Amino acid sequence: VNTKITGVKKMILKSKVELSKIDKEIFKNFDYSFNGESTFDVPVMPTIEKDFSIGVIFGSSGSGKSTLLKGFGQDKDLEWDNSKSVASHFKSVDDAIDRLSAVGLNTVPSWSKPRKVLSNGEGYRADLARKIDSNIVIDEFTSVVNRETAKSCSMALSKYIKRNKLKNIVIATCHHDILDWLEPDWVYCTDTQEMNRGYHRQPIHIQVYKGDKSMWEMFKKHHYLTDKIPNAIRCFYAIWDNYLIGFASSIALPSKIPPLYEGDKRKKFRECRTVILPDFQGMGIGVRFSNAVADLHIEDKYRYFSKTAHIRMGEYRQKSPLWRATSTNLKDR
């Protein structure tokens, strides 16, 4: 639904500088008449309903987004102690896990590092994880990360906000590609002075292919436990929009595992590696990719097992009707 705001009121803003010799020469060369004073206007937003989840101020650079955002609050400044890990900056273990996962920063080794050594994308997510709360504003949202990271971060953040019933979070951005992933309650465009609603994510379609372990080199540094991999494995790849984004493998299990019932002679396989590239984490792809690989084994008449120490994947499987707990489930071995 697009609602055109007619007769938009505008704020008139002014700035003034003291003219230097350089200024005078430059503006003279460009035949630009300038006395040191600049005037520009910013549209006044229409009245916003109370108790929304996510609102977005969207528009091109210089269109007044940051000025309008200040009407909702100030972006929070953070201080990081680079003698400590990223994870240690949160209130508790659960708080750290929830918030870091909420922004798609699921690479556990990155949690153990100081903020200063993280990549731009990881650092941005870590900053965002500490800011998340009701009644906050976020300026220049996803401007310093690549667009794949921007989408996954937007989706993970949106889920966290709505799951925890956070309210009145306002984001300013010049990037249109994240709006559907954020699923905001409203978007005000500073370029057109339109209030837009009705943003919804489209399904993510992943293609799964059988392959060999030649591509493990691309994924091994992103596995949070080990970069080693067995020799006798079956390998699978996840493709999204022609991007290779995921790797999974399985290995045959010894026959000593008891059958489910008398006469059950099926061979058994165990999942041994599943990795989604960091730019695509936080979108729920990993657990569903793992499900798809398990299905391929079931279709081939194998029994399929998996053991994970990753909290998010473990939580997902505890609730999933597709997985059945073994006798050693949730036991420290």
Side-chain angles (χ1 to χ4, degrees):
V1 178
N2 298 323
T3 305
K4 181 68 177 179
I5 308 299
T6 59
V8 176
K9 295 181 179 180
K10 296 182 178 181
M11 295 183 288
I12 306 300
L13 305 179
K14 294 182 179 181
S15 66
K16 192 168 186 177
V17 298
E18 187 176 313
L19 289 175
S20 67
K21 291 181 179 179
I22 293 176
D23 291 325
K24 293 175 181 178
E25 189 65 26
I26 288 176
F27 301 135
K28 178 182 177 182
N29 290 341
F30 282 90
D31 198 23
Y32 176 62
S33 179
F34 180 61
N35 63 1
E37 185 173 281
S38 299
T39 301
F40 52 99
D41 55 72
V42 176
V44 176
M45 287 184 61
T47 302
I48 303 297
E49 66 271 19
K50 296 180 179 180
D51 294 331
F52 57 88
S53 292
I54 303 172
V56 176
I57 302 172
F58 163 74
S60 58
S61 296
S63 62
K65 298 187 303 298
S66 296
T67 301
L68 292 178
L69 188 66
K70 290 177 182 177
F72 293 93
Q74 292 292 325
D75 201 353
K76 184 178 179 180
D77 292 325
L78 297 175
E79 291 186 4
W80 290 91
D81 184 346
N82 285 311
S83 68
K84 297 181 179 179
S85 72
V86 166
S88 67
H89 286 76
F90 296 87
K91 296 177 182 178
S92 65
V93 171
D94 289 342
D95 186 52
I97 294 172
D98 286 347
R99 287 173 174 269
L100 291 168
S101 299
V103 295
L105 186 56
N106 293 314
T107 306
V108 178
S110 296
W111 301 359
S112 67
K113 299 174 183 176
R115 167 65 177 83
K116 66 180 180 181
V117 304
L118 299 183
S119 68
N120 277 350
E122 289 177 327
Y124 181 83
R125 293 187 191 217
D127 292 344
L128 193 57
R130 289 186 60 194
K131 292 181 179 181
I132 308 173
D133 204 350
S134 292
N135 304 303
I136 65 165
V137 299
I138 304 171
D139 203 358
E140 299 293 343
F141 184 64
T142 71
S143 291
V144 298
V145 297
N146 64 48
R147 304 325 300 158
E148 288 75 26
T149 298
K151 293 173 184 177
S152 62
C153 186
S154 298
M155 180 175 176
L157 178 64
S158 177
K159 287 182 176 180
Y160 178 86
I161 290 171
K162 293 171 182 177
R163 183 171 64 249
N164 289 280
K165 296 181 172 56
L166 301 184
K167 296 294 183 181
N168 305 327
I169 295 165
V170 184
I171 292 168
T173 183
C174 61
H175 297 286
H176 188 274
D177 59 352
I178 61 171
L179 298 181
D180 285 337
W181 299 94
L182 268 175
E183 292 191 314
D185 298 288
W186 55 263
V187 176
Y188 180 70
C189 180
T190 51
D191 294 316
T192 63
Q193 289 91 59
E194 290 179 336
M195 181 65 80
N196 303 321
R197 303 176 189 273
Y199 290 87
H200 298 287
R201 285 190 298 270
Q202 297 301 311
I204 299 173
H205 297 285
I206 303 297
Q207 295 173 302
V208 178
Y209 296 94
K210 292 181 180 178
D212 57 43
K213 65 177 183 178
S214 60
M215 298 301 288
W216 174 242
E217 287 295 316
M218 177 178 173
F219 291 89
K220 68 180 185 181
K221 66 180 180 180
H222 302 298
H223 193 276
Y224 73 104
L225 291 180
T226 179
D227 62 359
K228 303 293 191 299
I229 196 166
N231 288 323
I233 56 174
R234 306 175 99 199
C235 298
F236 305 85
Y237 296 113
I239 308 291
W240 182 29
D241 284 347
N242 297 318
Y243 286 99
L244 174 61
I245 67 167
F247 175 93
S249 62
S250 64
I251 189 168
L253 285 174
S255 58
K256 64 181 181 180
I257 294 177
L260 281 175
Y261 50 86
E262 186 177 353
D264 181 9
K265 297 181 180 179
R266 289 177 294 170
K267 292 183 179 179
K268 306 153 187 84
F269 274 81
R270 174 177 64 83
E271 180 179 26
C272 68
R273 301 290 183 274
T274 296
V275 184
I276 301 297
L277 293 179
D279 287 348
F280 302 91
Q281 292 178 8
M283 306 175 82
I285 295 173
V287 290
R288 289 164 179 81
F289 178 35
S290 176
N291 289 348
V293 170
D295 280 340
L296 291 173
H297 286 78
I298 300 301
E299 289 171 2
D300 288 340
K301 309 301 181 184
Y302 298 123
R303 290 178 67 192
Y304 194 72
F305 294 82
S306 180
K307 178 179 71 173
T308 180
H310 196 289
I311 290 175
R312 286 304 179 210
M313 182 171 276
E315 288 177 344
Y316 171 85
R317 288 180 176 171
Q318 285 292 104
K319 299 174 182 177
S320 173
L322 301 177
W323 294 88
R324 180 169 57 189
T326 67
S327 60
T328 56
N329 185 46
L330 298 180
K331 293 182 180 180
D332 187 356
R333 287 179 282 168

